[in-house]
Amino acid sequence: MVEEGALAPVSKPRLVATDLDGTLVRSDGSVSDYTRDVLLEVERRGVPVVFVTGRPLRWAEEVFGYVGEHGLAIVSNGGLVWDVERSAPHLVRPIDQAVALETCRLIREAVPGSAFAVETVTGIGLEPGFMERFPPPPDSHRGALEELFDAPAVKLLARHEELAPQEYWDAAEAAVGDRVTITWSSSSTLLEISAADVTKASTLALLCADLGVDAADVIAFGDMPNDLPMLGWAGTSYAMADAHPTVTATADHVAPGHDDDGVARVLAGVFGL
């Protein structure tokens, strides 16, 4: 592991991929003027900055302006690529409804007390027992699980109020096998479930292929287990100083923390800003 803030790339990256919460966004939900200016300068130099987040679209939109209202963003852990300029989907990688329902059944049987919600491009639907930590949009539907798949599901959420995140993840994966991809990034016990083989990394790889960018030319930043595939795929990877231990162990390097503009400070060094 290279020490915090060390610069890795011999040649300058051709694409920047960064997580949001705990990585680019500060603890108070803001993005500093310094970080915004660095990202815009990187973009001006012809290097795309791609947000790669577990956030649903409605939360990701809050920070699109920090790299200008252009480009593409990967949201819902790879379930959706959003064209920011057109305000329209670029790529949707949904979970098959039958597979999603079977997944919920298997998890609920293995771990009683599980509750589920479904993220779509247009919003979220929740079971009555799903305890959301942030108020959902006023028009969000609550109802039986089968009623929530009224549009392609880009992410399935499973919550438990008693188990720890890792314990719940292990139990859920044992129950469903490779039917879907399960990860987590929340401080509470919330599993984020995508279609099989849909991760931040696999969707970023598709996007980079479209742009003609090799994995070796990507620099990526993250802090939580849902970032692990992306950090393992990118040619150069940074864990934030306050990242989850598994992320620190996986990444090539460690950046300063998200409250210290870690992403921007590393990029300023890499690009000589």
Side-chain angles (χ1 to χ4, degrees), residues 6-260:
L7 304 181
V10 175
S11 59
K12 289 183 173 59
R14 295 182 57 209
L15 184 140
V16 176
T18 179
D19 174 51
L20 294 179
D21 298 296
T23 301
L24 189 77
V25 178
R26 292 181 165 188
S27 298
D28 64 2
S30 68
V31 174
S32 73
D33 290 343
Y34 172 70
T35 290
R36 179 201 61 209
D37 291 346
V38 168
L39 296 183
L40 289 173
E41 180 58 30
V42 170
E43 287 265 3
R44 277 194 288 269
R45 295 185 179 205
V47 178
V49 176
V50 178
F51 292 162
V52 188
T53 179
R55 286 190 185 197
L57 178 63
R58 64 181 184 279
W59 290 347
E61 288 175 325
E62 298 173 0
V63 294
F64 283 167
Y66 291 112
V67 288
E69 294 182 359
H70 61 280
L72 300 168
I74 297 171
V75 302
S76 292
N77 288 330
L80 173 66
V81 180
W82 189 252
D83 186 318
V84 177
E85 184 176 17
R86 292 176 52 241
S87 190
H90 176 78
L91 174 66
V92 182
R93 306 185 72 192
I95 311 171
D96 177 79
Q97 179 177 347
V99 172
L101 290 172
E102 181 185 24
T103 295
C104 294
R105 178 183 63 78
L106 291 170
I107 293 176
R108 208 186 311 262
E109 288 178 355
V111 192
S114 297
F116 299 95
V118 178
E119 290 279 6
T120 69
V121 175
T122 57
I124 185 172
L126 313 93
E127 285 190 313
F130 189 92
M131 298 176 64
E132 185 69 12
R133 297 302 191 264
F134 301 96
D139 59 349
S140 299
H141 175 64
R142 283 193 182 268
L145 188 61
E146 292 77 7
E147 301 172 3
L148 305 182
F149 291 90
D150 56 351
V154 295
K155 187 165 68 169
L156 178 66
L157 303 175
R159 185 180 289 286
H160 204 278
E161 300 299 331
E162 297 176 4
L163 299 181
Q166 188 67 51
E167 182 182 5
Y168 193 31
W169 189 10
D170 292 344
E173 282 199 324
V176 304
D178 60 0
R179 292 174 177 82
V180 294
T181 298
I182 304 177
T183 189
W184 64 280
S185 62
S186 174
S187 58
S188 63
T189 303
L190 177 70
L191 301 182
E192 303 169 47
I193 303 170
S194 305
D197 300 322
V198 171
T199 65
K200 288 185 175 186
S202 64
T203 299
L204 180 60
L206 292 174
L207 178 55
C208 285
D210 288 343
L211 298 175
V213 175
D214 294 332
D217 295 320
V218 175
I219 184 171
F221 300 84
D223 74 304
M224 287 295 282
N226 65 330
D227 296 312
L228 290 171
M230 176 177 71
L231 297 178
W233 177 82
T236 303
S237 60
Y238 279 83
M240 310 311 291
D242 40 10
H244 189 273
T246 59
V247 177
T248 305
T250 297
D252 301 322
H253 311 280
V254 178
H258 65 298
D259 284 328
D260 296 320

